[in-house]
């Protein structure tokens, strides 16, 4: 696992056993599947249109007057399961509607397909900016990807069941 620079949004540092996972440069899906020894199981809890919050717009690099205007995105929330009955990661994918043109429309039809299969199909890494923070659920990485000129925001929170597998 290689590391990429990130911005830590909290005053705490992530635990050393999670640091390499929070810093995976390419497909988190791929390295989680290696750890699990099998494909990830994706269980969606929400998929549909939502208005973006001001914080999400800022993370997506929206500037100027667009910050004050309503902006719709296609949002998918899912739990990722490794090789046990408890989810390892809670994930949220945000695709602003202006990004869903051409081949990117496929992102609305992912269903149970891990996002990593699509984003990293042609390239092992993508231009990105990463933010790390601790949430009530666990340590989270939020990554803004530039996928063929389209801005996408992917959040992955490492849940207690995953942390227990690293002990």
């Amino acid at each position: 696992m290689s590391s990429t620079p990130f911005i830590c949004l909290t005053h705490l540092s992530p635990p050393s056993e999670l640091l390499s996972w929070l810093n995976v440069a390419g497909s988190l899906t791929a390295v989680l599947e290696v750890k699990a020894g099998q494909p990830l199981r994706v269980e969606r809890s929400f998929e549909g249109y939502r208005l973006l919050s001001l914080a999400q717009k800022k993370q997506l690099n929206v500037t100027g007057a667009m910050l004050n205007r309503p902006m719709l995105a296609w949002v998918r929330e899912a739990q990722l399961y490794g090789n046990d009955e408890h989810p390892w990661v809670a994930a949220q994918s945000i695709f602003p509607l202006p990004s869903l043109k051409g081949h990117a429309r496929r992102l609305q039809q992912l269903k149970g397909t891990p996002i990593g299969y699509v984003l990293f199909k042609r390239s092992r890494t993508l231009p990105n900016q990463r933010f790390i923070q601790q949430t009530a659920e666990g340590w989270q990485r939020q990554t803004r990807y530039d996928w063929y000129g389209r801005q996408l925001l992917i959040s992955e929170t490492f849940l207690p069941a995953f942390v227990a597998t690293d002990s």
Side-chain angles (χ1 to χ4, degrees):
M1 290 176 268
S2 61
S3 66
T4 53
F6 66 88
I7 298 167
C8 195
L9 298 176
T10 71
H11 64 283
L12 301 171
S13 292
S16 57
E17 64 271 12
L18 267 185
L19 202 50
S20 63
W21 295 99
L22 290 163
N23 276 316
V24 168
S27 171
L28 181 63
T29 300
V31 294
L32 286 173
E33 288 185 341
V34 168
K35 179 179 176 63
Q38 64 186 35
L40 292 181
R41 184 171 47 114
V42 176
E43 286 193 8
R44 294 170 290 157
S45 54
F46 176 82
E47 193 166 28
Y49 294 103
R50 273 199 190 142
L51 285 172
L52 293 176
S53 69
L54 180 60
Q56 290 167 329
K57 288 189 253 183
K58 286 179 178 179
Q59 286 175 304
L60 284 160
N61 229 14
V62 174
T63 58
M66 289 302 295
L67 278 173
N68 299 318
R69 293 192 181 127
M71 181 182 268
L72 266 182
W74 183 259
V75 176
R76 179 174 86 153
E77 294 175 351
Q79 287 68 47
L80 310 179
Y81 290 78
N83 56 8
D84 64 39
E85 70 275 3
H86 300 289
W88 283 4
V89 174
Q92 181 187 61
S93 304
I94 298 175
F95 312 117
L97 289 193
S99 295
L100 293 172
K101 297 191 182 344
H103 292 298
R105 279 191 225 138
R106 176 170 189 262
L107 297 172
Q108 288 180 283
Q109 280 91 39
L110 290 172
K111 297 185 175 137
T113 302
I115 185 70
Y117 288 5
V118 177
L119 293 184
F120 298 99
K121 186 175 182 175
R122 293 199 173 118
S123 178
R124 294 182 73 192
T125 60
L126 294 170
N128 70 76
Q129 183 172 21
R130 178 154 304 145
F131 303 91
I132 306 283
Q133 64 183 344
Q134 188 174 29
T135 70
E137 289 186 289
W139 280 92
Q140 180 184 76
R141 64 185 225 156
Q142 293 181 310
T143 310
R144 182 184 68 228
Y145 290 104
D146 182 331
W147 188 60
Y148 302 105
R150 294 169 175 92
Q151 300 293 305
L152 315 172
L153 186 62
I154 312 293
S155 299
E156 294 133 334
T157 304
F158 291 88
L159 301 172
F162 179 81
V163 176
T165 66
D166 258 11
S167 304

